């Protein structure tokens, strides 16, 4: 657990909720806990004294965070202050009297350090393209012409009146395709045409052409057509409104006016191309991230994929399903989120809390739902510990495993009633977690979604959870390292803490863990699979023809199976908890074939014998007199150097092949058909 702050300021908010200072002191060891009734008003001096001490502070209030920050800046520019909400998440609840352990846990978790987040920048000079269908586009351009560099593109038939003064370009065309982001859009336009300056009653246009290219910083789409991008609401710089809804158009106009200058957004995903299992030698293996990205930010780039940080909207599904950890979430990283869970659940247990339920939620949807439930309903149950994340879809198997290993009895993930974007990745994560938890004796229903927009329905779903016992031996491991490392660690700790630990759990197809089975008789030890394996799960031995397999490194990407020329590899998805400490297993091993002339090892015995069996008496080189045939067969049993020497000594003629038959042409087939027809007529 992270070291608690020296000063913790908690407030009953005008005595609207009970406080258990002793529980907070038990959970935040070494901290000085100061209680208040109206910290933001009558007792503000208490905060001033704490800030003046220069020690780190945790303030259990988020509503008045701007006020506290302003006061702290007046006292100390570099004050270390954390804010945590204990009112809506714990104190305002019908279970408030039993919420002391939860309040203590939330305060302790707030002390966890925040990771540094890298950013990506957008530069917009205010060049906007308004794509419309009628006079609404012209009216919209008039609203923006004094603020942005405007061009209007009217889709055919483009029946609009000519302007009295040409204050901005108006052209005709249909957008065929679009790519890019704020500050760097590129459009391909068909049926593009310039207006005639002599247009009278309506704009008339000159000759049209297809494939015209347009570049701009901002796109305002009021065409009424389908969006130009997948997950259009996530594409920075692309604004879309229904042309029949004046309020929506005006809202888009106001947003567009502010999109000039330099903007930053988090780089949500850290990507390591070296361990990506997308493909090898143009053979595709893993497509998990490509299939799930709603924003279209991921594209193939040779043996790996490429994630455009400017387009990425941060849903995190790619990181949650990436089998190798090549894509990992950075807001926060998997290990940082797991450390927060460790602190939260450990502090809850030390404060005498029991049977905790973790509720993952986002700020855009989940936080308002929790607030509404607290203000107008029964509030969250006393054992429900809310954990805010950037996107619920970022939660991966390692996080679920860690939560249950640390002692949670259940995990719930709060989503919208109708998610705005595909959440298939999250469903896959839960489908993978179920057999693991069931196989370890946790039963079913430990992890599940709550999909609702109704705060009361949220409260009912949480109170309806069957509170089974958690892990009988809660873990306390400290996660560090990359995503794949902490996932393996969390799963091993989950097994140690499980009610009924087993060594092997069968998993469904597509799971990122498993072994391979080899048809030993069909394998020629060509080792093509070793070269294709991106994680080193398959290896060889430089001294002897050998194929080794390390299950702990296998991600079931399928590249070995797709690459194998003999098609003798089968994937077997499973989770073997012994794999981390097991030695590499030898799948097949043979003695090398030794050159009959110099005794140098080369190839494998089975391969050489198979080649001889296929060629002897069948290929022209190995036909004819027994002596000559045997001499040539012996060359197959020699290494590359001895083979050249033997061929030279035997005066072998490489051009001694029998003449090949003439190439058959269409005329040959037609002639034969005519002859058959004449013969058939003669017989009749």
């Amino acid at each position: 657990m992270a070291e608690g702050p020296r000063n913790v300021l908690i407030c009953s908010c005008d005595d609207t909720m009970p406080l258990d200072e002793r529980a907070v002191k038990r959970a935040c060891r070494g901290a000085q806990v100061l209680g208040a009734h109206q910290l933001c008003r009558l007792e503000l001096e208490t905060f001033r004294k704490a800030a003046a001490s220069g020690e780190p502070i945790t303030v259990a209030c988020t509503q008045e965070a701007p006020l506290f920050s302003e006061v702290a800046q007046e006292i100390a520019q570099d004050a270390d202050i954390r804010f945590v909400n204990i009112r809506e998440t714990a104190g305002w609840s019908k279970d408030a009297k039993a919420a002391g352990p939860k309040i203590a846990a939330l305060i302790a978790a707030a002390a966890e350090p925040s990771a540094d987040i890298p950013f990506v920048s957008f530069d917009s000079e205010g060049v906007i393209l308004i794509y419309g269908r009628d006079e609404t586009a012209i009216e919209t351009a008039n609203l923006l012409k004094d603020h942005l560099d405007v061009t209007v593109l009217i889709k055919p038939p483009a029946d609009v009146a000519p302007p009295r003064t040409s204050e901005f370009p108006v052209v005709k065309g249909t957008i065929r395709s679009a790519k890019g982001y704020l500050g760097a859009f590129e459009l391909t336009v068909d049926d593009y045409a310039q207006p005639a300056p002599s247009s009278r009653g309506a704009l008339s246009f000159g000759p049209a052409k297809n494939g015209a290219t347009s570049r701009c910083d901002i796109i305002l789409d009021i065409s009424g057509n389908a969006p130009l991008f997948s997950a259009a609401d996530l594409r920075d710089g692309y604004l879309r409104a229904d042309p029949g809804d004046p309020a929506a158009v005006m809202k888009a106009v106001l947003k567009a006016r502010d999109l000039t200058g330099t903007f930053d957004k988090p780089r949500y995903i850290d990507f390591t191309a070296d361990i990506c299992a997308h493909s090898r030698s143009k053979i595709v293996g893993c497509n998990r991230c490509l299939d799930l990205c709603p924003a279209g930010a991921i594209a193939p780039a040779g043996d790996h994929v490429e994630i455009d940080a400017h387009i990425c909207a941060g849903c995190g599904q790619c990181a949650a399903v990436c089998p190798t950890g090549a894509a990992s979430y950075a807001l926060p990283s998997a290990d940082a989120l797991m450390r927060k869970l460790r602190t939260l659940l450990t502090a809850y247990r030390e404060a005498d809390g029991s049977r905790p339920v973790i509720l993952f939620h986002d700020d855009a949807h989940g936080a308002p739902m929790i607030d509404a439930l607290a203000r107008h309903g029964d509030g969250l149950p006393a054992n429900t510990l809310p954990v805010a994340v950037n996107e619920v879809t970022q939660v991966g198997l390692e996080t679920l495993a860690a939560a249950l290993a640390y002692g949670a009895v259940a995990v719930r993930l709060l989503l919208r009633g109708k998610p705005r974007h595909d959440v298939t990745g999250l469903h896959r994560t839960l489908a993978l977690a179920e057999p693991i938890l069931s196989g370890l004796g946790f039963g079913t229903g430990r992890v599940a979604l709550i999909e609702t927009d109704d705060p009361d329905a949220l409260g009912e779903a949480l109170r309806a959870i069957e509170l089974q016992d958690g892990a009988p031996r809660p873990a306390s491991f400290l996660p560090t390292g990359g995503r794949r490392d902490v996932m393996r660690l969390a799963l091993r700790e989950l097994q140690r803490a499980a009610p009924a630990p087993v060594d092997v759990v069968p998993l469904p197809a597509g799971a990122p863990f498993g072994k391979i089975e080899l048809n030993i008789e069909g394998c020629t030890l060509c080792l093509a699979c070793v070269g294709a394996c991106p994680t080193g799960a398959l290896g060889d031995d430089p001294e002897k023809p050998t194929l080794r397999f390390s299950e702990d490194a296998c991600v079931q990407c399928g590249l070995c199976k797709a690459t194998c020329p003999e098609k003798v590899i089968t994937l077997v998805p499973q989770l073997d908890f012994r794999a981390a400490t097991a030695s590499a297993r030898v799948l097949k091993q043979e003695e090398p074939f030794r050159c009959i002339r110099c005794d140098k090892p080369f190839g494998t015995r089975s391969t050489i014998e198979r080649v001889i069996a296929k060629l002897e008496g069948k290929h022209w080189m190995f036909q004819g007199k027994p002596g000559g045939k045997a001499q040539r067969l012996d060359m197959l049993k020699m290494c590359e150097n001895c083979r050249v020497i033997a061929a030279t000594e035997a005066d072998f003629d490489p051009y001694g092949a029998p003449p090949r038959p003439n190439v058959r042409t269409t005329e040959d087939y037609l002639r034969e058909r005519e002859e058959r027809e004449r013969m058939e007529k003669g017989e009749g």
Side-chain angles (χ1 to χ4, degrees):
M1 187 174 63
E3 182 183 353
R6 295 187 182 180
N7 289 330
V8 176
L9 304 183
I10 55 178
C11 178
S12 66
C13 200
D14 278 338
D15 294 326
T16 58
M17 59 180 180
L19 296 178
D20 187 347
E21 294 185 24
R22 288 179 298 179
V24 176
K25 289 179 180 178
R26 285 198 302 271
C28 303
R29 295 176 181 175
Q32 181 180 0
V33 181
L34 303 175
H37 300 281
Q38 199 183 76
L39 186 65
C40 60
R41 297 293 184 270
L42 296 177
E43 296 169 277
L44 188 59
E45 188 61 29
T46 301
F47 172 79
R48 285 196 177 95
K49 290 180 180 178
S53 70
E55 297 172 351
I57 306 171
T58 294
V59 180
C61 175
T62 53
Q63 175 179 289
E64 300 299 329
L67 170 63
F68 292 125
S69 297
E70 182 181 349
V71 172
Q73 286 294 313
E74 296 173 357
I75 299 171
Q77 292 290 328
D78 56 349
D80 180 4
I81 305 177
R82 305 285 177 88
F83 298 97
V84 57
N85 179 5
I86 64 169
R87 189 178 66 179
E88 282 82 2
T89 58
W92 283 0
S93 168
K94 74 174 187 178
D95 299 340
K97 291 182 179 180
K102 175 162 72 167
I103 290 175
L106 293 173
I107 292 173
E112 275 295 314
S114 301
D116 293 332
I117 300 171
F119 289 88
V120 292
S121 296
F122 300 82
D123 293 311
S124 170
E125 297 180 357
V127 178
I128 184 171
L129 177 78
I130 300 176
Y131 184 41
R133 65 186 184 187
D134 51 28
E135 294 288 350
T136 303
I138 306 298
E139 295 169 4
T140 302
N142 282 321
L143 294 173
L144 290 170
K145 65 183 181 182
D146 295 332
H147 307 276
L148 302 172
D149 184 352
V150 176
T151 297
V152 176
L153 177 64
I154 304 290
K155 68 177 186 177
D159 186 14
V160 295
R164 292 181 61 233
T165 305
S166 298
E167 297 181 283
F168 45 80
V170 179
V171 296
K172 181 188 75 167
T174 301
I175 296 178
R176 183 210 305 169
S177 63
K179 61 182 181 180
Y181 44 84
L182 175 64
F185 285 111
E186 184 175 322
L187 312 173
T188 301
V189 181
D190 288 340
D191 200 19
Y192 173 81
Q194 294 275 0
S198 58
S199 300
R200 189 171 181 180
L203 279 180
S204 59
F205 295 87
K209 68 174 182 177
N210 294 332
T213 300
S214 176
R215 292 178 175 82
C216 59
D217 298 318
I218 311 160
I219 301 174
L220 176 51
D221 184 356
I222 50 175
S223 66
N225 286 0
L228 299 177
F229 302 96
S230 60
D233 57 318
L234 301 179
R235 187 64 61 113
D236 293 299
Y238 177 67
L239 307 173
R240 184 169 176 265
D242 181 357
D245 184 348
V249 173
M250 182 56 67
K251 185 177 180 180
V253 166
L254 294 176
K255 285 184 178 179
R257 286 176 55 177
D258 295 331
L259 294 181
T260 301
T262 299
F263 304 88
D264 291 331
K265 81 170 183 180
R267 184 182 294 272
Y268 298 104
I269 302 295
D270 287 331
F271 184 70
T272 306
D274 294 346
I275 57 174
C276 177
H278 172 57
S279 72
R280 291 294 184 275
S281 302
K282 299 185 179 179
I283 297 176
V284 176
C286 177
N287 265 336
R288 291 173 174 88
C289 60
L290 289 165
D291 295 338
L292 292 175
C293 181
I298 307 177
D303 284 350
H304 56 84
V305 298
E306 198 170 65
I307 301 178
D308 192 326
H310 291 89
I311 297 176
C312 173
C315 75
Q317 293 193 88
C318 60
V321 301
C322 180
T324 65
S328 59
Y329 208 72
L331 194 64
S333 61
D335 59 328
L337 180 56
M338 291 163 65
R339 286 195 294 272
K340 183 174 182 179
L341 286 173
R342 176 180 182 268
T343 300
L344 183 72
L345 289 164
T346 302
Y348 182 78
R349 189 166 59 249
E350 290 179 350
D352 297 332
S354 63
R355 295 186 173 181
V357 174
I358 297 295
L359 175 65
F360 288 108
H361 67 89
D362 60 15
D363 282 332
H365 171 252
M369 288 272 288
I370 293 172
D371 287 354
L373 182 61
R375 293 172 181 273
H376 308 291
D378 291 336
L380 293 177
N383 68 324
T384 297
L385 306 180
V387 178
V389 291
N390 187 56
E391 294 285 351
V392 176
T393 44
Q394 79 186 69
V395 176
L397 178 63
E398 71 285 345
T399 305
L400 300 178
L404 290 163
Y406 288 137
V409 300
V411 177
R412 293 296 182 264
L413 301 103
L414 178 57
L415 292 176
R416 299 175 186 270
K418 292 184 178 179
R420 293 183 299 173
H421 307 291
D422 190 11
V423 293
T424 300
L426 188 55
H427 284 284
R428 290 182 183 176
T429 299
L430 268 60
L432 179 58
E434 275 295 334
I436 296 175
L437 295 173
S438 179
L440 293 175
F442 285 97
T444 59
R446 294 281 187 163
V447 295
L449 302 178
I450 299 178
E451 299 176 271
T452 183
D453 299 324
D454 182 354
D456 290 329
L458 169 62
E460 292 171 4
L462 292 170
R463 295 180 189 280
I465 296 174
E466 183 181 350
L467 296 178
Q468 309 170 59
D469 289 333
R473 300 169 296 278
S476 61
F477 67 97
L478 185 63
T480 56
R483 180 179 166 271
R484 179 78 179 182
D485 297 330
V486 296
M487 180 185 291
R488 283 289 193 183
L489 176 61
L491 290 170
R492 290 197 299 271
E493 293 291 337
L494 178 66
Q495 186 223 17
R496 292 191 183 99
V502 295
D503 289 332
V504 181
V505 176
L507 297 179
F513 308 101
K515 65 177 181 178
I516 66 171
E517 288 185 349
L518 184 70
N519 181 350
I520 298 176
E521 291 75 16
C523 176
T524 62
L525 283 176
C526 69
L527 302 181
C529 55
V530 175
C533 181
T535 64
L538 288 167
D540 58 0
D541 186 334
E543 302 298 328
K544 183 181 294 186
T546 303
L547 179 60
R548 300 180 184 275
F549 176 67
S550 300
E551 185 168 343
D552 191 53
C554 180
V555 297
Q556 298 279 289
C557 65
L559 278 168
C560 57
K561 179 180 178 181
T563 303
C564 178
E566 284 81 25
K567 306 302 178 188
V568 295
I569 294 178
T570 303
L571 302 180
V572 182
Q574 66 175 29
L575 181 56
D576 190 337
F577 295 99
R578 302 165 300 180
T581 56
S583 302
R585 180 163 54 94
V586 175
L587 298 180
K588 183 172 182 179
Q589 186 177 72
E590 286 189 19
E591 290 296 324
F593 192 92
R594 292 188 172 276
C595 175
I596 61 174
R597 184 172 179 136
C598 70
D599 202 40
K600 173 185 175 182
F602 76 100
T604 62
R605 182 170 297 279
S606 62
T607 300
I608 301 301
E609 291 174 350
R610 186 179 292 110
V611 171
I612 292 173
K614 287 186 176 182
L615 294 178
E616 185 176 8
K618 299 173 184 178
H619 192 275
W620 69 268
M621 287 179 61
F622 307 98
Q623 296 174 352
K625 297 179 180 180
K629 179 174 69 173
Q631 189 178 23
R632 291 176 179 177
L633 284 173
D634 284 345
M635 291 186 186
L636 298 177
K637 304 174 185 178
M638 300 178 189
C639 67
E640 63 276 14
N641 295 328
C642 293
R643 195 174 302 136
V644 174
I645 296 171
T648 304
E649 292 175 349
D651 197 23
F652 174 69
D653 182 7
Y655 302 104
R660 294 186 177 184
N662 295 330
V663 177
R664 294 173 61 84
T665 65
T666 303
E667 293 180 355
D668 295 326
Y669 289 104
L670 292 176
R671 184 175 62 256
E672 290 176 359
R673 188 174 67 180
E674 290 175 358
E675 291 176 357
R676 281 198 308 270
E677 290 175 353
R678 282 199 302 270
M679 291 178 63
E680 290 173 357
K681 289 179 181 179
E683 291 176 358

